[in-house]
Amino acid sequence: MENNILKIENLSCNYSQIIALEDISLEINKGEIVSLIGANGAGKTTLLRTISALNKPKNGTIFFDGKDITKLDSDKRVGLGIAQVPEGRGLFTILSVEQNLKLGAYSRKNKNIDEDLEYVYKKFPILREKKNDYAGTLSGGQQQMVAVGRALMSKPKLLLLDEPSMGLAPIVVEEIFDVITTLRDMGTTIFVVEQNAFLALSISDRAYVLENGRVAISGKSKDMLNDSRVKEAYLGA
Ligand SMILES: Nc1ncnc2c1ncn2[C@@H]1O[C@H](COP(=O)(O)OP(=O)(O)OP(=O)(O)O)[C@@H](O)[C@H]1O
Ligand SMILES: [Mg+2]
């Protein structure tokens, strides 16, 4: 049996004339945290959106758990166990915290979601306190917790996170990344886009660096922390 949960082969993606991704091949193994690093406009969000079927690829194949999912729409992919926390969080600001969380379970056949709500509230106790508040009234960090919690409600096998630390205070970033590490320890595989390369490499097992839509560097995160190209371009050393 293959160990990868996600395998991408020769993926390309355009926005009309703009080439956003070119000939991307990568693998994510079960139980790993893999980070995706790159400058603004490198194609990170496009790659995550293509994995979720929110963008259509021009070429290439995407396998999930050994199955070709390239032609499946996004609902089907959520049903298989792919959940995305989008850049900017994508909450419904005039719905309550709990309503936002429950939306994460919409694609599940098993609607017995109280246990999962309980799990999210255990991970993020502040969300229980604020469960009846409008999501839009929460702080940035609390909103990010709702976004992660909502993704967890779909019981994902693969969690895609697009810049979870964006705009958050360091202490909150730490909380979010603690949860990410705990999720990995419990068996969820995680693919995380992060501008903060040091943070990304510190918590991940492996990493890919995107430059102009291509994979420029890849390897074990701890090796990449010492890689001179990575240091110079992404770690400010
Ligand atoms: N909806 C769109 N229409 C046209 N071009 C787009 C669109 N979205 C992204 N692009 C372009 O595709 C390229 C990759 O963008 P993408 O958003 O994937 O990069 P990113 O690595 O996520 O950047 P950032 O760090 O700023 O979030 C960029 O050149 C961007 O301008
Ligand atoms: Mg982006």
Side-chain angles (χ1 to χ4, degrees), residues 11 42 47-48 67 100 107 114 144 180:
L11 187 78
L47 179 55
L48 289 200
K67 180 178 176 221
N100 271 279
S107 70
D114 289 350
Q144 189 61 271
I180 294 172

Side-chain angles (χ1 to χ4, degrees), residues 18-139:
I18 299 166
I19 298 171
L21 297 175
E22 182 138 51
D23 201 25
I24 302 270
S25 294
L26 59 81
E27 274 184 51
I28 295 182
N29 296 317
K30 289 176 185 157
E32 281 188 310
I33 299 180
V34 175
S35 55
L36 182 63
I37 297 165
N40 288 329
K44 306 180 297 295
T45 295
T46 304
L47 179 55
L48 289 200
R49 288 177 56 86
T50 309
I51 295 168
S52 301
L54 301 172
N55 283 350
K56 261 207 168 99
K58 182 166 74 97
N59 288 306
T61 317
I62 304 175
F63 297 94
F64 182 72
D65 233 349
K67 180 178 176 221
D68 183 347
I69 60 161
T70 317
K71 298 234 152 44
L72 293 187
D73 66 24
S74 57
D75 276 8
K76 290 251 165 54
R77 293 193 200 182
V78 174
L80 286 176
I82 301 177
Q84 176 154 12
V85 178
E87 201 173 15
R89 301 168 193 134
L91 298 183
F92 294 92
T93 52
I94 59 159
L95 293 184
S96 73
V97 166
E98 186 153 300
Q99 285 170 321
N100 271 279
L101 292 173
K102 284 182 169 170
L103 280 173
Y106 80 95
S107 70
R108 288 199 1 227
K109 292 189 191 75
N110 171 2
K111 296 287 182 194
N112 183 11
I113 59 178
D114 289 350
E115 206 174 288
D116 302 315
L117 262 181
E118 190 54 32
Y119 172 73
V120 171
Y121 289 146
K122 276 223 176 77
K123 284 268 161 285
F124 299 114
I126 186 73
L127 298 188
R128 191 195 304 272
E129 280 172 43
K130 305 234 170 196
K131 69 180 180 182
N132 296 319
D133 293 8
Y134 288 131
T137 65
L138 270 55
S139 71

Side-chain angles (χ1 to χ4, degrees), residues 128-200:
R128 191 195 304 272
E129 280 172 43
K130 305 234 170 196
K131 69 180 180 182
N132 296 319
D133 293 8
Y134 288 131
T137 65
L138 270 55
S139 71
Q142 292 162 356
Q143 290 191 20
Q144 189 61 271
M145 292 173 196
V146 178
V148 172
R150 186 181 54 184
L152 294 182
M153 293 294 290
S154 71
K155 285 272 175 89
K157 292 183 185 154
L158 176 66
L159 181 61
L160 308 170
L161 295 157
D162 198 347
E163 309 223 15
S165 77
M166 171 114 73
L168 303 184
I171 180 94
V172 183
V173 173
E174 211 172 287
E175 251 179 275
I176 299 275
F177 275 81
D178 272 355
V179 172
I180 294 172
T181 316
T182 311
L183 291 173
R184 188 268 316 271
D185 295 344
M186 293 174 59
T188 308
T189 307
I190 293 162
F191 194 26
V192 55
V193 167
E194 198 30 78
Q195 283 276 358
N196 182 335
F198 182 75
L199 179 62

